[in-house]
Amino acid sequence: MKIDTNAVVKDKKYKKRDYMGLVYVAPWVIGLLIFQAYPFISSLIYSFTKYNIASMEFIGFDNYIRLFKIDKEFYKSVFVTFGYVFMTVPGKLIMAMIVALILNQKLKGINIVRTIYYIPSLMGGSIAVSILWKLMFMSDGVINKMLAQVGIVGPNWIGDPKTALPTICLLEIWQFGSSMVLLLAALKAVPKELYEAASVDGANKWRMYWKITFPAISPILFFNLIMQTIQAFQNFTSAFVITNGGPNKSTYVLGMKLYTEAFSNFKMGYASAVSWVMFVLIMIMTIVLFKTSNRWVHYDD
């Protein structure tokens, strides 16, 4: 006997309870549309306009043409942003990996030590910590006073263009706690039997790390690499609070330029164009990282 499935579907009557799932997801969908989809699409439209809050005029690609052909400050900002990314992301991941390897050891009171190492990631991105960082690295701050105690004359950390960018990079690197926790969890998931078998075969610690540990944790390491790269491209707080983009634009990252164009010069359309260029740069970097991941990231079948 052949059953008409179309007729069954038509005859099925949904009860009130069947719609409860839609009610549960409605807040998330509404939030997505209002706080993400709408600003995302609006910024794209604004990037093709001359929009200064009071009036809006469609100007086509003029904002992008000016950005790439006239605005020399833009290229300076892109250069500084890439410098920031290439210093903070490797530095942060290396610190997270080293500390995770140490905390993976069976030591007395290790749980307390893990908590202490994670605390900076909880408060590192706040305005208060950025102000604290600025006070520490001022020419007469705590760091230079400590160096003076051992006879070393400290540099003008945030007043010298050569040291200003590395100084704000240190703040980002200091926030390695969240990456460290993920890597520590990945390290603990590596089967102990593999190390025992490698030890029987005479492998040393270094060989065990590259042949067992690194391939096993490479997916988590890759995830951290992607997330930290995106976060570094979007940096604003530390550059704004500690140096305000200076000295001599040495810390003028793209986030600073976007803020300046939007809220100091009130060029919302131009700022939207900057934001879309930043988005494209992040997309390109993400695609490049995904393409290269085939060579060093190992997934279980």
Side-chain angles (χ1 to χ4, degrees):
M1 181 178 178
K2 190 175 181 180
I3 299 174
D4 188 351
T5 55
N6 293 330
V8 172
V9 172
K10 287 180 180 177
D11 291 341
K12 183 178 179 181
K13 294 182 178 179
Y14 289 97
K15 298 179 181 178
K16 185 177 180 181
R17 185 178 178 181
D18 296 329
Y19 294 100
M20 288 305 294
L22 297 176
V23 175
Y24 291 143
V25 300
W28 181 85
V29 173
I30 293 171
L32 175 70
L33 294 174
I34 295 176
F35 298 111
Q36 294 190 21
Y38 174 72
F40 188 78
I41 297 171
S42 296
S43 67
L44 178 61
I45 296 171
Y46 292 155
S47 70
F48 297 106
T49 65
K50 185 179 181 181
Y51 179 36
N52 59 1
I53 300 179
S55 62
M56 184 166 65
E57 176 189 357
F58 183 76
I59 56 174
F61 288 91
D62 284 4
N63 283 330
Y64 293 97
I65 293 171
R66 181 187 168 195
L67 201 59
F68 287 105
K69 290 191 173 182
I70 301 175
D71 193 348
K72 295 180 180 177
E73 199 177 71
F74 166 71
Y75 288 103
K76 173 74 174 178
S77 185
V78 170
F79 180 76
V80 171
T81 302
F82 271 94
Y84 180 84
V85 171
F86 289 136
M87 278 193 275
T88 57
V89 176
K92 196 171 186 178
L93 293 181
I94 290 171
M95 281 295 298
M97 177 61 77
I98 292 172
V99 176
L101 287 170
I102 295 171
L103 297 183
N104 194 37
Q105 306 302 313
K106 292 181 180 178
L107 301 173
K108 189 176 181 180
I110 196 68
N111 290 331
I112 298 174
V113 177
R114 287 172 188 161
T115 305
I116 293 173
Y117 271 105
Y118 186 66
I119 287 175
S121 68
L122 298 177
M123 58 184 183
S126 68
I127 297 292
V129 172
S130 296
I131 294 173
L132 176 64
W133 206 259
K134 182 178 182 178
L135 294 174
M136 286 175 59
F137 283 92
M138 290 174 68
S139 56
D140 58 346
V142 175
I143 300 298
N144 278 355
K145 287 182 179 177
M146 291 174 63
L147 291 174
Q149 292 296 320
V150 293
I152 299 174
V153 179
N156 188 1
W157 297 97
I158 57 178
D160 187 340
K162 294 180 181 177
T163 56
L165 186 62
T167 301
I168 66 169
C169 288
L170 284 175
L171 174 58
E172 183 68 24
I173 294 171
W174 182 62
Q175 304 170 49
F176 63 83
S178 57
S179 298
M180 180 270 294
V181 169
L182 292 173
L183 290 172
L184 181 60
L187 287 171
K188 289 192 170 299
V190 180
K192 303 297 181 188
E193 295 79 9
L194 296 178
Y195 293 112
E196 293 171 0
S199 179
V200 171
D201 290 341
N204 57 29
K205 295 288 184 183
W206 184 250
R207 190 169 180 81
M208 286 185 194
Y209 177 80
W210 285 111
K211 295 298 181 181
I212 299 174
T213 306
F214 186 81
I217 68 170
S218 59
I220 299 299
L221 193 59
F222 179 60
F223 171 78
N224 274 303
L225 177 62
I226 292 290
M227 298 306 295
Q228 297 306 328
T229 301
I230 294 172
Q231 185 178 335
F233 267 105
Q234 296 174 332
N235 174 265
F236 168 73
T237 305
S238 58
F240 178 70
V241 175
I242 299 175
T243 60
N244 197 26
N248 195 23
K249 303 287 184 184
S250 60
T251 60
Y252 197 64
V253 293
L254 278 171
M256 273 294 303
K257 179 166 180 61
L258 194 158
Y259 174 85
T260 303
E261 297 294 348
F263 301 105
S264 296
N265 301 332
F266 298 105
K267 298 177 180 176
M268 295 297 177
Y270 195 62
S272 297
V274 174
S275 72
W276 271 90
V277 171
M278 187 191 301
F279 174 75
V280 171
L281 288 175
I282 292 173
M283 283 292 294
I284 292 172
M285 283 297 294
T286 304
I287 292 171
V288 170
L289 290 174
F290 267 96
K291 290 291 183 183
T292 58
S293 68
N294 295 330
R295 300 180 179 180
W296 63 277
V297 179
H298 304 271
Y299 296 100
D300 292 333
D301 293 331

